[in-house]
Amino acid sequence: MEIIRNLSERVYCQTCKRKTNHGIGYQHEERDSPIDDIRWQEKYYIVKCLGCDTICFVKEYGDETMVEPDEWGEWNHVTHITVYPEEPITQTKRNQKEHEVFNFDQAPEFINILYKQVVFSFNNNSYLLSTVGLRMLIEGICNDLGIKDGYILNEQGEKILDDKGNQKKGANLKGRINGLVEKELIVQTQANILHQIRELGNASAHSLESPSRKIVASALSIIENIIYNIYDLKKFQLK
């Protein structure tokens, strides 16, 4: 098989029994259509291990909502690569360090229950379910606090006004997250992160593509911090 170019990252080879470099021999690409809610791209490859020449199949998926923090805390777009046959689950992977479960004393019971279910899914490597659960947590917080809508921002991050100069409101989760800022429950920086988690949850439900453990772990830690700040931190406020 003639090699067009090399695959961008190492993938598992069933013959070498480890991740190796692979060359791409054939590529097919699918893209979003005008009726889709988000921009996405899916690529299919027939590849060959550059060590032993074993042939396998690789799928690479990416969309505009798939982001991952770098070492400076900036969120960058990433893609998810799946190889077939897949890498066997090893004992090391089974024994990954579990995420600690916190109990938020002042948060409603249903928030604690949903949060614990998200952590349970994460610790069982069910990252797709974890991500959808994180989105549900954001919506649950808005419901509990009575946040029904909020301002809408354009692509430049500016509030959108109607013909009379009044701020346009959105009753969807996007608007309600901004409503948390209006009520001074979170700051805009935190809202921006919640929007990224919301979009990540939408993408997981839409494409059924599981995000990486690192992405979900970062999102989970951020949600924990926001739940603590909204509910538990108030018990330390001076009377």
Side-chain angles (χ1 to χ4, degrees):
M1 181 174 67
E2 183 179 354
I3 301 300
I4 303 172
R5 58 184 175 84
N6 288 351
L7 197 62
S8 60
E9 66 180 68
R10 292 187 175 190
V11 295
Y12 180 76
C13 171
Q14 61 178 330
T15 301
C16 296
K17 306 299 181 185
R18 59 187 176 87
K19 290 185 177 182
T20 63
N21 291 315
H22 283 68
I24 300 173
Y26 176 78
Q27 173 179 328
H28 175 73
E29 185 174 317
E30 298 282 347
R31 288 181 175 271
D32 55 279
S33 68
I35 62 173
D36 289 331
D37 295 331
I38 59 174
R39 300 284 303 276
W40 60 271
Q41 183 181 50
E42 199 164 53
K43 296 179 180 179
Y44 302 90
Y45 308 110
I46 295 177
V47 300
K48 179 170 68 174
C49 174
L50 298 181
C52 68
D53 292 340
T54 298
I55 304 297
C56 63
F57 178 77
V58 170
K59 180 177 73 172
E60 180 177 16
Y61 175 85
D63 62 49
E64 60 186 345
T65 68
M66 293 174 62
V67 291
E68 182 173 294
D70 59 22
E71 56 185 313
W72 297 282
E74 296 293 330
W75 291 71
N76 302 309
H77 287 284
V78 296
T79 59
H80 179 73
I81 291 181
T82 306
V83 61
Y84 304 94
E86 296 180 281
E87 181 178 0
I89 297 177
T90 63
Q91 191 63 36
T92 300
K93 289 190 174 183
R94 291 192 185 98
N95 293 335
Q96 289 182 106
K97 183 179 179 181
E98 290 195 344
H99 189 90
E100 182 182 355
V101 178
F102 296 98
N103 185 58
F104 302 101
D105 297 333
Q106 305 301 315
E109 183 180 6
F110 80 92
I111 293 291
N112 271 303
I113 291 174
L114 179 54
Y115 159 72
K116 290 174 182 177
Q117 289 179 356
V118 171
V119 176
F120 177 81
S121 296
F122 175 81
N123 286 336
N124 282 277
N125 301 325
S126 299
Y127 305 134
L128 189 151
L129 294 178
S130 303
T131 308
V132 175
L134 287 171
R135 187 193 184 283
M136 292 173 64
L137 262 176
I138 298 173
E139 192 155 8
I141 292 170
C142 291
N143 290 342
D144 176 60
L145 299 174
I147 307 299
K148 298 181 179 180
D149 58 24
Y151 57 80
I152 304 174
L153 301 177
N154 59 23
E155 294 182 356
Q156 288 71 43
E158 303 166 334
K159 294 178 181 178
I160 300 176
L161 306 178
D162 59 23
D163 296 336
K164 297 181 180 180
N166 299 317
Q167 292 181 11
K168 285 189 175 182
K169 298 279 188 174
N172 55 11
L173 187 55
K174 185 176 183 179
R176 297 172 75 190
I177 289 174
N178 294 330
L180 292 171
V181 180
E182 290 185 293
K183 296 294 184 181
E184 298 184 347
L185 294 165
I186 62 174
V187 297
Q188 187 61 54
T189 303
Q190 291 174 312
N192 294 340
I193 294 172
L194 289 184
H195 284 306
Q196 292 174 330
I197 295 173
R198 171 184 59 81
E199 292 171 351
L200 193 62
N202 289 344
S204 295
H206 174 268
S207 65
L208 300 182
E209 287 287 341
S210 178
S212 72
R213 183 179 181 86
K214 182 179 179 181
I215 292 176
V216 181
S218 297
L220 181 54
S221 296
I222 291 165
I223 286 288
E224 288 172 336
N225 182 260
I226 289 176
I227 294 174
Y228 176 80
N229 288 342
I230 289 178
Y231 293 104
D232 283 19
L233 193 59
K234 63 185 178 183
K235 69 182 178 182
F236 298 110
Q237 294 176 354
L238 296 177
K239 303 295 184 182

